Amino acid sequence: MEEILKIEGLSKSFDDLTVLEDINLTVAKGEVVVIVGPSGCGKSTLLRCINGLESIEEGKVLLDGETVNPTTGNIRKLRERIGMVFQSYDLFPHMTILDNIMLAPLKVQKRDKAEVKKEAEELLARVGLSSKKDNYPRQLSGGQKQRVAIVRALIMNPEVLLFDEVTAALDPEMVREVLDVILDLASQDRTMIIVTHEMAFAKAIADRVVLLDAGTIVEQSDPISFFESPKTERAKKFLSTFEYSKQ
Amino acid sequence: MGIEVIFKGKNLIRLLEGLGIAMKISMISVAISIVLGIILGMLMTMKKPAVNAVLRAYLEIVRIMPQMVLLFIVFFGITKMTGINLSAETASLIVFSFWGTAEMADLVRGSLISIPAIQYESSMALGLSGFQTYVYVIIPQIIRRLIPLSINLITRMIKTTSLIMMIGIVEVLKVGQQIIEANRKTSPKAAFGVFAVIFLLYYLVCGPISALSKMLEKRWEN
Ligand SMILES: Nc1ncnc2c1ncn2[C@@H]1O[C@H](COP(=O)(O)OP(=O)(O)O)[C@@H](O)[C@H]1O
Ligand SMILES: [Mg+2]
């Protein structure tokens, strides 16, 4: 399979706190990689390194052979090719839904306005939010905002999509509508790296599951092996935190 | 009632002229304050300790000094110390700008730090440049926060211009006093009428400005 993203010996620390240590990960075109792990293990930092929101001291992130480095001139071009959706709602509050979606294609890609508008409306329809296009973010529920954020990333036609716990801040009844949108993307063969705590979703969508703990990859395998016969003690322990039984 | 003195001779025109001077001084000061305040406010968010210390001290001075004291220091003090003869109007402009710049800087700083980091990051993640991020994402949000607050500052400045008569500028309140003095014998109740009219004038100027700010605030709440 053709590889699109390659992370080589990536280490990252904040002052003297080491957050990521010697991460090696290769993602193939069309592959869905789900990253799981306890809170604070470095999942967000890893995603932020991938699209150059964090500086990298050691190791490399390569997108299709090009090094991602926030201090070099081509970082904007690379970011255009990597879409990211964050955990906290990050729509621009002073713009309508349509304007939020159209900003980057118009200003960054300098595409034709009529064409961008048409695509934005089609994508909104696909996530069931056509009626909200002229509303402001404050008029939407959390789940609706996250669906718009996904559309906003999608319209740039990125080669890789990064999702950082996009349902973690949502009320339970809204989680599903967002995850369904991501499942729909997987069926279109999008390359995605997804950080999530929704294990049933991870099992359904992943081609590969990666367990991150204390900044290192402790186990990675296909979802069936990972969830049904985890190899490491650490993975067993992590998975057991999602199980409940009456004592 | 004493209101008739307003319509005697050129009294009404003089009152309006006085109001004009007050407006002129506050508007010029506001314009200066907005420009300098934006620059200083941005400097304050840059986390340079030395710059911050100086600006903090400046803000503190403006906060604890009554505007009247500042006016006296600039108008009489500077003239005494340097021999430069400042006109009362220039002195007022200096003091009002000195005060307004400090307040604006603090408002700008507050608005800047109130924009969550995720707004910058999600804009950058979409491939926008730092400059585009400021122009399309950050500055429009800051302006929305800033306009109601600076309108409030404008109305406070207009009201505070009543102090400049203390250094000899004949603004609306001073004209009012002159009218009352001049008509003390013929209309002993003139004070009531004159002050009622001045109240009305201030209201006519500041009322719409406040209303505008309330309207913008309503429209932009998010
Ligand atoms: N900008 C930062 N400065 C200092 N420490 C940070 C910063 N960002 C994250 N960290 C620390 O790095 C560790 C990993 O954080 P994060 O990647 O957000 O974990 P996760 O997403 O897995 O919960 C945490 O201990 C966190 O406190
Ligand atoms: Mg996280």
Side-chain angles (χ1 to χ4, degrees):
Chain A
M1 274 217 276
E2 197 184 343
E3 68 177 48
I4 177 90
L5 188 79
K6 196 175 174 90
I7 300 167
E8 289 177 345
L10 171 66
S11 295
K12 169 81 194 166
S13 39
F14 293 108
D15 301 318
D16 43 11
L17 173 75
T18 303
V19 176
L20 295 174
E21 223 177 334
D22 194 26
I23 301 284
N24 292 285
L25 188 70
T26 305
V27 180
K29 232 173 210 165
E31 192 180 17
V32 177
V33 174
V34 170
I35 299 175
V36 298
S39 178
C41 71
K43 304 179 297 291
S44 297
T45 307
L46 177 57
L47 291 191
R48 293 164 60 82
C49 286
I50 293 175
N51 79 343
L53 285 176
E54 298 287 351
S55 62
I56 298 168
E57 293 99 29
E58 234 179 285
K60 264 186 185 168
V61 174
L62 297 161
L63 178 70
D64 220 358
E66 271 189 80
T67 305
V68 176
N69 180 343
T71 58
T72 56
N74 66 342
I75 185 65
R76 286 179 57 202
K77 277 273 158 252
L78 289 169
R79 285 198 186 120
E80 271 183 67
R81 298 165 59 192
I82 304 173
M84 180 150 178
V85 183
F86 297 83
Q87 170 179 350
S88 59
Y89 312 134
D90 62 330
L91 297 180
F92 307 130
H94 60 295
M95 292 183 189
T96 63
I97 297 311
L98 209 49
D99 288 339
N100 261 279
I101 298 169
M102 290 169 60
L103 178 69
L106 291 182
K107 303 299 174 193
V108 178
Q109 296 177 327
K110 315 257 188 247
R111 282 162 59 188
D112 173 65
K113 189 164 179 184
E115 175 227 335
V116 169
K117 185 154 187 267
K118 188 162 161 277
E119 187 179 353
E121 284 171 346
E122 281 165 10
L123 287 169
L124 274 178
R126 180 132 193 175
V127 300
L129 291 174
S130 292
S131 62
K132 302 289 182 193
K133 64 177 180 176
D134 294 320
N135 286 104
Y136 283 88
R138 64 174 179 277
Q139 297 164 313
L140 272 60
S141 71
Q144 292 170 334
K145 280 190 256 201
Q146 288 301 62
R147 281 185 276 160
V148 172
I150 294 172
V151 168
R152 190 175 64 175
L154 216 51
I155 198 167
M156 297 296 281
N157 205 13
E159 289 156 56
V160 179
L161 273 165
L162 311 175
F163 293 93
D164 189 5
E165 296 194 43
V166 292
T167 59
L170 297 180
D171 291 334
E173 72 271 18
M174 289 173 189
V175 169
R176 173 118 217 167
E177 64 189 47
V178 177
L179 297 185
D180 278 342
V181 169
I182 304 177
L183 279 163
D184 183 40
L185 294 176
S187 71
Q188 301 166 27
D189 288 332
R190 298 262 180 189
T191 311
M192 299 192 275
I193 303 178
I194 301 170
V195 171
T196 185
H197 281 297
E198 303 285 335
M199 290 303 138
F201 169 69
K203 200 169 170 178
I205 200 170
D207 294 317
R208 183 157 39 122
V209 181
V210 172
L211 172 63
L212 202 62
D213 189 33
T216 57
I217 295 179
V218 290
E219 179 159 344
Q220 56 175 315
S221 55
D222 64 279
I224 309 233
S225 321
F226 181 81
F227 287 105
E228 270 146 40
S229 48
K231 292 185 280 293
T232 59
E233 275 312 303
R234 190 65 198 89
K236 285 177 196 155
K237 195 154 164 256
F238 173 73
L239 287 170
S240 74
T241 62
F242 293 91
E243 276 161 23
Y244 294 89
S245 62
K246 221 163 131 187
Q247 298 296 311
Chain B
M1 277 285 283
I3 208 114
E4 67 285 349
V5 295
I6 299 293
F7 302 101
K8 252 170 64 181
K10 284 190 177 161
N11 282 354
L12 183 59
I13 306 234
R14 284 176 57 216
L15 271 180
L16 289 176
E17 277 168 2
L19 185 68
I21 289 179
M23 293 286 291
K24 179 176 139 199
I25 288 177
S26 42
M27 288 305 157
I28 295 177
S29 310
V30 163
I32 295 173
S33 303
I34 287 178
V35 174
L36 295 182
I38 288 175
I39 297 171
L40 288 192
M42 286 172 78
L43 281 179
M44 287 168 85
T45 59
M46 286 178 185
K47 299 191 176 106
K48 296 262 186 313
V51 177
N52 262 4
V54 172
L55 293 176
R56 294 244 131 257
Y58 167 40
L59 284 191
E60 272 317 299
I61 291 172
V62 173
R63 241 175 234 146
I64 52 182
M65 288 282 238
Q67 277 90 19
M68 184 123 95
V69 175
L70 287 175
L71 268 177
F72 283 163
I73 291 176
V74 172
F75 186 58
F76 299 113
I78 289 192
T79 311
K80 273 249 164 60
M81 273 180 356
T82 64
I84 300 169
N85 240 328
L86 282 182
S87 75
E89 226 176 281
T90 312
S92 318
L93 283 176
I94 293 174
V95 169
F96 277 77
S97 305
F98 183 75
W99 163 42
T101 299
E103 294 231 6
M104 269 314 286
D106 210 32
L107 297 179
V108 170
R109 185 192 63 87
S111 311
L112 273 171
I113 59 173
S114 74
I115 307 281
I118 188 84
Q119 290 283 316
Y120 294 86
E121 291 181 346
S122 55
S123 172
M124 303 289 230
L126 285 166
L128 275 83
S129 66
F131 180 73
Q132 287 176 322
T133 298
Y134 270 100
V135 170
Y136 298 115
V137 177
I138 305 301
I139 292 175
Q141 292 188 55
I142 288 175
I143 289 177
R144 279 166 169 73
R145 279 165 212 224
L146 219 46
I147 284 184
L149 299 172
S150 33
I151 287 179
N152 174 281
L153 177 62
I154 294 172
T155 54
R156 277 190 296 136
M157 273 205 182
I158 294 174
K159 287 187 282 188
T160 315
T161 49
S162 53
L163 290 180
I164 61 181
M165 71 174 178
M166 303 304 290
I167 56 171
I169 297 181
V170 185
E171 48 66 72
V172 59
L173 205 58
K174 184 71 188 174
V175 176
Q177 283 185 349
Q178 290 171 345
I179 295 175
I180 295 166
E181 285 295 309
N183 296 282
R184 210 180 10 220
K185 295 242 168 57
T186 51
S187 326
K189 286 197 196 127
F192 179 77
V194 170
F195 284 125
V197 169
I198 291 177
F199 169 83
L200 195 69
L201 288 178
Y202 274 124
Y203 183 78
L204 287 178
V205 172
C206 295
I209 299 180
S210 301
L212 176 72
S213 119
K214 287 222 178 69
M215 195 196 81
L216 289 177
E217 232 170 317
K218 253 231 155 69
R219 189 154 133 206
W220 286 340
E221 73 192 333
N222 46 52

